[in-house]
Amino acid sequence: MTRVTLLAGGVGGAKMAEGLAALPGVDLTVIGNVADDDEFHGLWVSPDIDTLSYSLARLIDRRQGWGVADEGHRALEVLARLGQDCWMSLGDRDFGLHIWRTMRRMRGDRPSVIAADAARALGVGPRIVLPTDDRVQTRVRTDAGWLSFQEYFVREKCAPEIRELRLDGIEAARPTPEALAAIAEAEAIVIAPSNPLVSIAPILAVPGIAEGLRQARVPRVAVSPFIAGKVVKGPADRMMAALGLRADAVGVAERYAGLADVLVIDDLDSAHSAAIAARGLHPECRPILMRDQGDKQRLAAEVLEIARMLAAREEVA
C-alpha cells in the first residue's frame, strides 16, 4: 500500500479524492478545509468536509457538485414560511447530518471525531481528517464591508469585487494530531486542484501544517486548478486577479513554492513551464480536466506515477 495524504477543498478536491480512492494499493487520508464552515438555523454546517464525504460515499449531487442527490427541501420551505432567510440551500437529508453534528458539538465531542464518525457511517473508505478542531473562518472584504465566505460565495454568488481575505481565529488554532500524523507518515503528499486562496491556504495556515509539508522528505505533488488560464469551477481566477496575484498556473506555483516539488499543469498551459520551473517547482503537463470517474482515476494514477518517479530519482541520488 502507498500512504497518500491529500490536501483538498471544494469540488476539485473531492474529485481528486475520488480518483485516488479508486486506485488499487492506495491508503488515502484527506485533510479537508474547515474555513468554509458556518452556522445556519442554529446548526453547524461544514460544506467542504460534507462535499468530500458525500462524494466518496457516492451520494453527491453530481449536477451541482455539492449536497445529496435526489434531495428534497421541505424543511427549508417551512423555515421560509416562518420568515427565515433561506439563501443557503440545505436539503432535508443534509439537514439530518447538520442536526447530528451540532448535537455532537454541543456535547463537547471533538470535530475531528465527529467528521470521522460521519464518514464511517456514510460508508466512506478513506480517512477524512480536519486540520484543526478550532473555529477558523474565511472572511471576505468587499466594497460593502466584510462578509462570511458563504455570504460571498452563495448569497452574493461571488459577484462583489474582493478587496481582502482574512482567516478569523487562525492565530489561536492548533493543528489536530491526525493532520500532523497524516503528513508525517505519508509516502506521497498531493495538493488537490482546489482554490489556492480559500480551500488550500486555510489548511496551510494552521500552525504546523505548512511546516510539516516543508520538512517532508517524500514526493509532494500539486495539481493546478487552472486550464488555459481559467478555472473549471469557482471564483479562484477572479479572486487571485482581484488581490494582485497571477491568475494562472504560474500564480499557483508561486503559492506552493517550497511546499511542493512538482506542479501538474494542463497541456494547454505548457507555455508556462519555464516560469513554473523558475519558481522552484518541476512542471508536468497532463490533461487535468476531470469530467467523469474515468478522468479522475486517470489523473490520480498519473499523479501517483509522478510521485513514484520522483521518489525513485531521490533514491538514486
Side-chain angles (χ1 to χ4, degrees):
M1 298 291 287
T2 299
R3 294 189 301 275
V4 178
T5 293
L6 173 71
L7 277 63
V11 176
K15 288 182 176 182
M16 190 83 256
E18 287 183 277
L20 287 166
L23 297 181
V26 170
D27 181 9
L28 179 63
T29 299
V30 186
I31 303 176
N33 172 42
V34 296
D36 289 5
D37 289 17
D38 213 334
E39 190 172 332
F40 297 95
H41 313 298
L43 304 176
W44 194 252
V45 180
S46 296
D48 275 8
I49 300 302
D50 291 346
T51 295
L52 278 170
S53 298
Y54 291 150
S55 296
L56 290 166
R58 299 182 180 179
L59 299 173
I60 196 79
D61 185 333
R62 298 289 178 190
R63 179 184 56 82
Q64 63 184 9
W66 62 86
V68 182
D70 191 26
E71 183 67 288
H73 293 84
R74 293 186 176 183
L76 272 189
E77 291 171 5
V78 173
L79 286 166
R81 193 168 185 175
L82 293 171
Q84 296 301 297
D85 197 344
C86 295
W87 53 263
M88 185 68 171
S89 180
L90 303 171
D92 295 336
R93 284 181 287 179
D94 201 26
F95 259 115
L97 175 57
H98 306 323
I99 292 168
W100 175 84
R101 176 189 290 118
T102 305
M103 290 169 54
R104 293 279 304 268
R105 288 174 67 99
M106 292 175 65
R107 202 168 70 190
D109 293 347
R110 285 179 61 215
S112 288
V113 174
I114 299 170
D117 288 349
R120 190 178 305 110
L122 292 173
V124 174
R127 288 171 294 280
I128 297 177
V129 305
L130 309 186
T132 181
D133 285 324
D134 297 309
R135 181 169 177 158
V136 174
Q137 291 181 294
T138 297
R139 304 282 292 178
V140 182
R141 185 170 70 84
T142 70
D143 291 337
W146 286 98
L147 303 173
S148 73
F149 181 75
Q150 295 305 330
E151 287 172 331
Y152 165 77
F153 186 66
V154 179
R155 192 187 70 190
E156 303 300 324
K157 298 179 171 47
C158 306
E161 191 77 3
I162 291 180
R163 302 304 180 190
E164 186 181 352
L165 293 173
R166 79 174 187 225
L167 281 172
D168 283 0
I170 194 62
E171 295 82 3
R174 296 155 297 174
T176 63
E178 293 89 346
L180 294 180
I183 293 170
E185 297 169 5
E187 294 176 297
I189 297 171
V190 179
I191 301 176
S194 305
N195 187 317
L197 299 182
V198 295
S199 291
I200 302 299
I203 300 174
L204 297 173
V206 175
I209 301 293
E211 291 84 347
L213 261 67
R214 291 190 186 97
Q215 295 170 10
R217 295 296 176 262
V218 299
R220 304 166 302 172
V221 182
V223 182
S224 172
F226 285 89
I227 297 177
K230 297 292 182 182
V231 292
V232 176
K233 194 176 184 68
D237 47 359
R238 288 181 53 235
M239 280 184 154
M240 293 177 74
L243 294 174
L245 305 171
R246 284 196 60 155
D248 57 16
V250 180
V252 176
E254 291 173 345
R255 301 287 302 180
Y256 297 153
L259 302 171
D261 306 296
V262 174
L263 180 63
V264 180
I265 63 175
D266 194 78
D267 291 330
L268 296 175
D269 291 316
S270 60
H272 294 308
S273 295
I276 290 168
R279 270 70 174 178
L281 285 79
H282 175 72
E284 287 281 351
C285 298
R286 301 286 191 280
I288 63 173
L289 182 61
M290 293 181 282
R291 293 160 294 196
D292 53 31
Q293 184 60 25
D295 284 340
K296 297 169 195 174
Q297 289 181 229
R298 173 196 50 76
L299 180 58
E302 291 175 352
V303 166
L304 198 55
E305 182 58 28
I306 290 168
R308 287 171 175 157
M309 290 171 59
L310 185 60
R313 285 201 296 267
E314 290 295 322
E315 287 179 7
V316 171

